[in-house]
Amino acid sequence: MERLQNTSRKTLKDFIPQQVLKFSKLLWRQKSLVFLALPPVIMVFLFRYLPMYGILIAFKDYKPLRGVWGSPWETPLFENFIRFFNYVDFKRLIFNTVKVGIVSLFFTYPAPIIFALLLNELRFKKFKRVVQTISYLPHFISVVVIVGMLNNFGSLGGLFNQIRGIFGLEAVNMNSGDKYFLLMYVGSAVWQGVGWGAIIYLAALANVDPTLYDVANIDGANRWHKIWNINLPSILPTTTVILILNAGNILSQDYTKILLMQNDTNRSLIDVISTFVYRVGIAQGEFEYATAVNLFVSVINFFLVFITNKIVQRLNPENSLW
Amino acid sequence: MKTKRNFAVLCLVLVMVVSLFAGCGKQQQPPASTQTPDTTQAPQKSAGGLKFPELPNNTLKLTVNIPNFGTSPTDTLVHKEWEKRMEEYLGVKLDITWNITPWADYRSNEKILLESADIPDVATYSQGAYVNQYGEDGIVLDILKYRDYMDYYPLFAKETFGGEAFAYNPDGTAYYFMDGFVNPENITGAQSFTSFAYRFDILKQHNLKPATTIDEFTKLCADIKALIDAGKIDAKYVMSNQDKNYAFYRGFVGIFHTWDTLYWNGQKWSFGPIEDNFRTMLKYLNQLYSAGYIDPEFSTDDGAMCTEKAVNSNHVIVPTLWSGMARVWNTQTTIEGMEWGLAFLPEHSDYGTPWKWGSRQEGRSLQTQMGIIISARTKYPEYVVRMIDYQYSDDMIEMMNWGIEGVTYTKTADGDHIFSDEILNAEDPVQKAADYGIMSSSACRTGIPFTPLTFEAMTEQIPGEPWWNPVDGYYEGKYWIESGRLGGPESVSPYDRPPVLRLSADESTRRAELQTNCDSYARQEALKFITGVLDINDDAVWEAYIKGVKSQVSDFDGTLSMLLEKSDLSSLSR
């Protein structure tokens, strides 16, 4: 009877599933870490998730005075998306965007890795520091200045043509048309980002266990062997994460740079989705249309991240994001 | 140890939380009061038969957005006088918060401001009929609801080309005060793009003269090219552009009696870049380009690069340029004797007198593009409307355009105004006038722009530039006066005298879309014709180009027909 009474007296704990209880205990044990993580979580929620309700205007005939909720729904609901798909230059926009994105990724992604590996091989520390500092500097130059420099360098009497002249090549107007656009756009991006991008890889390289090099030396490995068999595998998880994140930006180019590089000879040839969104959303004030186009891009970017992660998962599950 | 760690974590978290919420203060007070005007509830006072709401402390508190045109107006003499006179006129104290933004940034943000519905009590505006849709949505005030509070603006509306039908919407609304002009002397001069710039020093040295006909111009180009090739002229090319942002052909369209955008061509609304005249012009420019007369970088050099070339003797002629640039180049060059000067556009035998751009009407007139908007949520619209209206009064126009009598100008016995010697003899008279806040300088616009501009004040302070014409030879003249005198009334383009258009908000949007989308496409394709990438002589290519232009909007021909239907042709007889 007494035993029966004991079993019928249930506390609150008995109603909470064991897993939740376990998780709560874990959180409590690590309360310092949880407390530390709270501000960034709140920040991400406030500034990244909360504004997402604004995406709704992609499906609405947005009237600012009525607000996001008060504006009427588009009929049909996907009107703004359909309008974009029917846009006369839709195919060209997509093609340009994918082209610029893939070429940029192809060159800007490996450049910092190679640069970090090279820097890591420098033995003279002072020289290494000087090179590293100089390589950071372009990162801090404004895009307006960069494009101004490109315009000047690419003109008939500019630096690039003077270099061409040394090799006996004829001067060409590199600012005209789209022939040299990718070269200048990607080239300047590599120049600007190589030093800054290498920081994360240098940090990863700094964590490589030095005994691995000792062992390699005993085995008679040369520098190339050490790079290939020790350094690269050590930074592989980092490079993989960066690749997955970069894959999510293939359709999102540096629109300010492209806008500034545009002129009448190349405007339509180098127009990409982000410049189109700027023109429609900012210059023409068609917020709902611009939101729809950007939402379309975001969805594709998400799938790109997802697919890249899947591929990485297949190749090496430890290096994937999730 | 553990306590220390917890304390450190607590501090870190506090710092992060504080920084996180540092930018999350109370949202900035909306510029315009969120209350809708409710004059029936507020205590009222009467003045001159008009009823005004009682103001707290008799102070009118406003937020005003205005652009900066180079010199900030707020501390200038004229601006202070503007506030003083305005307070006297309204009988209240003004407490205005001025938000001043550089003009280029201001323009690029205007549509966003309207779209966000977060406009201040009053704002300078530069997007023409585009505002109508926001008026209909209840964001911008219908100023005609307060017509009784206006004494001066209706005079402009009455006297402008097209009259009230031009100034107000067909449904009896008006959502902005339009930019005003006062031109009693009927100066029909052009704003810009009505003259070619030549290196006068080189022409004089080689006994050449600016061209008066297009054939002479072609020959002049050939002569200059021959002299450059022979090493007798220190230049690389015959001609170049002033800035890639202005289509090179802008200086030529008037010669071929066409236009570079949507315009009234005298009979109907037409999109210039698909007209036959435009094609003829492109053929001509292609000839010039093929002959090697045009700098190949004419469409890729920005303003700074073009100026650098102009002052360093890269070329001899600039056909497309803003007024004042010749003087700028002459002052910026380090080459001794370099003299850029202007001559009226050469005439084409098939078309007659060239058309000029931006010539104003006689007397008082209004212009649709620029103006002033008032928020529909402003608390005291009666005062605000009356305040803006007062800027159109003769007294205020005189003060803002000439400054203070005895300080910045004097009046002759017959009523003529003369700027002070301090301004006229200054190294840069325009800047000197701007320093006083004189709006006719255009470098500083006092009050709430755009306020009516008087041509006399503007032309008097503008310094002269070298000019040439076949009768007077080389002399110094002023752009507005010379382009008016040399072109005569027949050079006034139909573009500048269109019929009154009665468009709804949607129709205005259709018109704006056609203009924006098709302009951009046409500019790029026209360039290909000039440089020979596309064959201008191939009819099939031309037809494909026209098709391409039309495909930029959903109903190109329908929009043009709509514009003609909505034009009040009777207004042309004024």
Side-chain angles (χ1 to χ4, degrees):
Chain A
M1 184 67 186
E2 197 180 324
R3 195 186 297 164
L4 198 70
Q5 272 179 346
N6 279 344
T7 49
S8 63
R9 208 185 299 141
K10 285 186 173 178
T11 59
L12 185 66
K13 274 184 185 176
D14 300 316
F15 293 102
I16 301 170
Q18 278 301 304
Q19 281 172 324
V20 175
L21 214 60
K22 224 174 163 184
F23 184 64
S24 308
K25 275 183 184 169
L26 183 75
L27 285 181
W28 184 245
R29 268 205 310 276
Q30 300 181 350
K31 55 184 176 296
S32 301
L33 291 175
V34 172
F35 205 35
L36 202 61
L38 215 53
V41 169
I42 294 171
M43 194 187 78
V44 168
F45 177 74
L46 280 181
F47 297 112
R48 295 284 177 178
Y49 281 87
L50 215 56
M52 270 196 205
Y53 91 103
I55 288 171
L56 276 181
I57 69 168
F59 306 95
K60 292 203 160 200
D61 178 12
Y62 180 55
K63 302 279 178 202
L65 213 61
R66 293 195 196 174
V68 175
W69 292 111
S71 297
W73 295 99
E74 280 285 8
T75 40
L77 195 63
F78 292 95
E79 169 64 24
N80 289 317
F81 295 88
I82 295 165
R83 189 180 155 196
F84 180 55
F85 299 146
N86 290 334
Y87 175 57
V88 67
D89 278 337
F90 173 74
K91 281 181 191 165
R92 187 161 57 184
L93 268 183
I94 295 286
F95 176 74
N96 283 351
T97 308
V98 172
K99 185 175 76 176
V100 174
I102 288 177
V103 175
S104 292
L105 183 68
F106 189 77
F107 288 99
T108 55
Y109 169 66
I113 300 173
I114 296 166
F115 184 65
L117 290 171
L118 290 174
L119 267 185
N120 195 50
E121 291 307 307
L122 286 177
R123 293 289 166 258
F124 187 38
K125 289 234 166 119
K126 267 192 181 171
F127 180 66
K128 184 181 170 182
R129 269 191 224 127
V130 169
V131 171
Q132 212 174 331
T133 310
I134 291 171
S135 69
Y136 294 163
L137 292 179
H139 174 78
F140 299 101
I141 302 176
S142 132
V143 70
V144 179
V145 177
I146 293 280
V147 175
M149 286 162 68
L150 289 175
N151 277 341
N152 257 310
F153 293 168
S155 65
L156 284 172
L159 179 72
F160 297 153
N161 274 309
Q162 286 171 18
I163 294 169
R164 283 172 65 93
I166 295 169
F167 297 101
L169 295 167
E170 202 183 323
V172 285
N173 184 3
M174 294 183 176
N175 303 319
S176 181
D178 66 336
K179 197 174 173 186
Y180 296 93
F181 163 73
L182 268 181
L183 180 68
M184 297 214 281
Y185 177 83
V186 177
S188 59
V190 169
W191 176 67
Q192 252 197 307
V194 73
W196 191 256
I199 293 173
I200 193 165
Y201 303 118
L202 284 169
L205 284 167
N207 285 331
V208 177
D209 186 355
T211 54
L212 291 174
Y213 294 116
D214 296 337
V215 174
N217 285 338
I218 293 165
D219 288 345
N222 61 20
R223 280 193 173 197
W224 175 247
H225 289 139
K226 281 185 266 186
I227 291 173
W228 191 252
N229 295 303
I230 301 173
N231 292 353
L232 260 180
S234 303
I235 62 169
L236 196 62
T238 314
T239 55
T240 314
V241 170
I242 299 288
L243 176 67
I244 295 169
L245 295 179
N246 280 353
N249 285 326
I250 283 183
L251 294 189
S252 311
Q253 278 82 33
D254 184 353
Y255 77 96
T256 44
K257 194 166 164 187
I258 298 178
L259 266 181
L260 289 164
M261 290 177 81
Q262 284 182 342
N263 56 52
D264 282 348
T265 64
N266 61 19
R267 187 161 287 113
S268 60
L269 299 170
I270 66 173
D271 212 15
V272 292
I273 294 177
S274 48
T275 51
F276 176 77
V277 167
Y278 168 81
R279 238 187 3 259
V280 172
I282 307 295
Q284 292 170 26
E286 292 189 58
F287 291 172
E288 62 270 47
Y289 184 36
T291 307
V293 176
N294 228 14
L295 182 59
F296 164 73
V297 171
S298 300
V299 169
I300 294 189
N301 277 341
F302 173 76
F303 276 109
L304 286 173
V305 171
F306 190 78
I307 291 165
T308 316
N309 191 62
K310 270 275 169 219
I311 295 169
V312 172
Q313 215 171 33
R314 283 267 170 91
L315 296 174
N316 187 353
E318 282 179 12
N319 290 344
S320 67
L321 272 181
W322 65 85
Chain B
M1 186 67 189
K2 200 178 171 187
T3 324
K4 258 188 179 176
R5 198 189 65 189
N6 283 345
F7 181 71
V9 166
L10 188 68
C11 288
L12 262 172
V13 168
L14 276 176
V15 167
M16 283 196 278
V17 169
V18 167
S19 23
L20 172 63
F21 289 101
C24 305
K26 190 183 171 192
Q27 195 189 356
Q28 198 184 352
Q29 197 67 24
S33 159
T34 48
Q35 294 172 29
T36 46
D38 184 7
T39 52
T40 52
Q41 302 275 319
Q44 301 195 337
K45 66 174 182 178
S46 288
L50 296 170
K51 285 187 174 173
F52 289 93
E54 202 75 51
L55 300 177
N57 302 321
N58 200 34
T59 303
L60 181 63
K61 211 171 171 181
L62 296 173
T63 305
V64 177
N65 281 13
I66 59 168
N68 183 337
F69 292 89
T71 303
S72 180
T74 44
D75 287 329
T76 61
L77 185 71
V78 172
H79 191 80
K80 283 170 188 160
E81 183 68 16
W82 179 92
E83 284 189 325
K84 191 181 129 204
R85 289 194 188 188
M86 205 53 93
E87 284 181 348
E88 282 169 10
Y89 180 68
L90 296 173
V92 298
K93 269 206 76 63
L94 290 176
D95 179 6
I96 299 178
T97 304
W98 299 93
N99 296 324
I100 306 175
T101 315
W103 177 226
D105 296 340
Y106 191 95
R107 286 201 84 177
S108 58
N109 287 329
E110 270 184 294
K111 286 185 179 174
I112 302 170
L113 200 74
L114 281 169
E115 191 68 19
S116 65
D118 189 23
I119 55 172
D121 293 291
V122 187
T124 295
Y125 173 71
S126 71
Q127 308 289 335
Y130 181 80
V131 75
N132 287 349
Q133 55 184 305
Y134 298 96
E136 287 180 4
D137 284 350
I139 295 168
V140 177
L141 187 79
D142 173 11
I143 58 171
L144 285 190
K145 277 188 181 164
Y146 300 89
R147 195 174 179 154
D148 291 346
Y149 294 84
M150 297 183 206
D151 289 336
Y152 305 104
Y153 183 68
L155 262 177
F156 275 81
K158 204 174 159 191
E159 288 186 22
T160 196
F161 189 78
E164 290 188 350
F166 173 83
Y168 307 143
N169 295 324
D171 59 359
T173 58
Y175 296 110
Y176 66 115
F177 283 91
M178 291 181 182
D179 190 9
F181 290 89
V182 185
N183 184 15
E185 301 294 322
N186 195 17
I187 301 168
T188 58
Q191 194 167 337
S192 284
F193 307 113
T194 305
S195 63
F196 285 180
Y198 299 87
R199 281 280 301 279
F200 280 2
D201 54 321
I202 289 179
L203 297 191
K204 286 174 192 170
Q205 192 186 341
H206 296 279
N207 206 22
L208 298 168
K209 279 178 185 165
T212 56
T213 66
I214 207 78
D215 293 336
E216 278 179 25
F217 185 73
T218 315
K219 188 175 177 310
L220 180 66
C221 289
D223 292 344
I224 293 172
K225 175 87 166 71
L227 288 165
I228 291 172
D229 292 344
K232 291 179 180 171
I233 291 179
D234 178 24
K236 287 180 186 159
Y237 300 99
V238 176
M239 69 184 94
S240 192
N241 204 357
Q242 186 217 308
D243 191 323
K244 69 175 180 180
N245 291 322
Y246 300 103
F248 184 70
Y249 49 75
R250 182 127 194 218
F252 288 89
V253 284
I255 300 169
F256 290 80
H257 282 197
T258 179
W259 218 250
D260 59 350
T261 184
L262 175 71
Y263 80 114
W264 175 257
N265 70 3
Q267 275 95 42
K268 59 180 187 318
W269 289 94
S270 174
F271 188 67
I274 60 168
E275 288 182 330
D276 288 343
N277 294 12
F278 197 88
R279 188 182 181 189
T280 311
M281 179 202 71
L282 290 178
K283 281 181 186 173
Y284 179 69
L285 291 181
N286 174 247
Q287 281 172 31
L288 297 182
Y289 188 82
S290 306
Y293 300 155
I294 306 174
D295 181 345
E297 293 182 308
F298 75 96
S299 56
T300 55
D301 283 346
D302 59 23
M305 290 160 88
C306 287
T307 297
E308 194 185 325
K309 284 182 171 182
V311 301
N312 285 303
S313 202
N314 175 75
H315 46 269
V316 184
I317 303 171
V318 179
T320 299
L321 76 162
W322 282 90
S323 59
M325 280 314 293
R327 190 175 63 85
V328 169
W329 295 332
N330 287 340
T331 50
Q332 286 191 1
T333 186
T334 51
I335 297 174
E336 205 176 324
M338 177 181 273
E339 185 188 23
W340 281 99
L342 305 166
F344 195 76
L345 297 174
E347 191 172 309
H348 193 296
S349 54
D350 290 350
Y351 305 106
T353 308
W355 288 346
K356 59 192 167 200
W357 175 73
S359 81
R360 303 294 174 206
Q361 301 156 39
E362 189 177 3
R364 292 186 179 91
S365 65
L366 294 171
Q367 187 265 105
T368 54
Q369 198 64 24
M370 313 291 180
I372 300 164
I373 53 172
I374 301 172
S375 168
R377 293 183 294 175
T378 195
K379 209 170 175 183
Y380 305 107
E382 301 84 356
Y383 280 108
V384 179
V385 168
R386 196 155 178 77
M387 180 176 81
I388 308 297
D389 174 71
Y390 188 45
Q391 295 195 132
Y392 292 80
S393 70
D394 288 346
D395 285 351
M396 288 299 267
I397 290 170
E398 183 185 55
M399 194 275 289
M400 286 195 279
N401 281 276
W402 292 98
I404 313 295
E405 192 172 359
V407 180
T408 57
Y409 76 97
T410 49
K411 255 186 192 172
T412 61
D414 49 5
D416 287 342
H417 300 71
I418 298 168
F419 275 119
S420 66
D421 288 345
E422 188 197 2
I423 291 175
L424 291 178
N425 298 333
E427 197 177 326
D428 185 348
V430 171
Q431 188 52 51
K432 192 74 202 168
D435 291 343
Y436 276 111
I438 294 169
M439 63 81 58
S440 51
S441 68
S442 297
C444 179
R445 290 177 187 261
T446 37
I448 301 173
F450 290 92
T451 56
L453 179 78
T454 56
F455 274 33
E456 277 73 16
M458 189 186 69
T459 50
E460 185 166 317
Q461 65 186 271
I462 290 175
E465 293 175 286
W467 272 85
W468 177 91
N469 73 58
V471 179
D472 304 317
Y474 294 100
Y475 61 100
E476 192 167 287
K478 293 184 177 184
Y479 203 98
W480 287 91
I481 294 169
E482 293 312 312
S483 56
R485 186 169 74 96
L486 299 172
E490 64 271 31
S491 67
V492 174
S493 159
Y495 170 88
D496 284 328
R497 303 290 185 270
V500 172
L501 267 173
R502 299 169 187 278
L503 302 179
S504 67
D506 283 347
E507 287 162 349
S508 296
T509 307
R510 272 176 72 189
R511 180 196 182 191
E513 268 176 12
L514 186 145
Q515 200 154 349
T516 312
N517 299 359
C518 298
D519 272 4
S520 174
Y521 180 84
R523 265 181 72 160
Q524 293 174 59
E525 299 304 297
L527 198 65
K528 293 179 189 165
F529 284 122
I530 295 171
T531 54
V533 175
L534 293 177
D535 185 359
I536 188 68
N537 297 306
D538 187 331
D539 290 343
V541 175
W542 181 252
E543 288 305 318
Y545 157 74
I546 293 177
K547 208 175 154 191
V549 169
K550 291 185 175 181
S551 72
Q552 300 304 307
V553 285
S554 54
D555 186 10
F556 181 92
D557 292 320
T559 305
L560 290 184
S561 304
M562 177 273 292
L563 288 173
L564 186 59
E565 269 172 39
K566 301 285 175 169
S567 296
D568 177 5
L569 299 181
S570 66
S571 64
L572 289 169
S573 59
R574 271 178 64 98

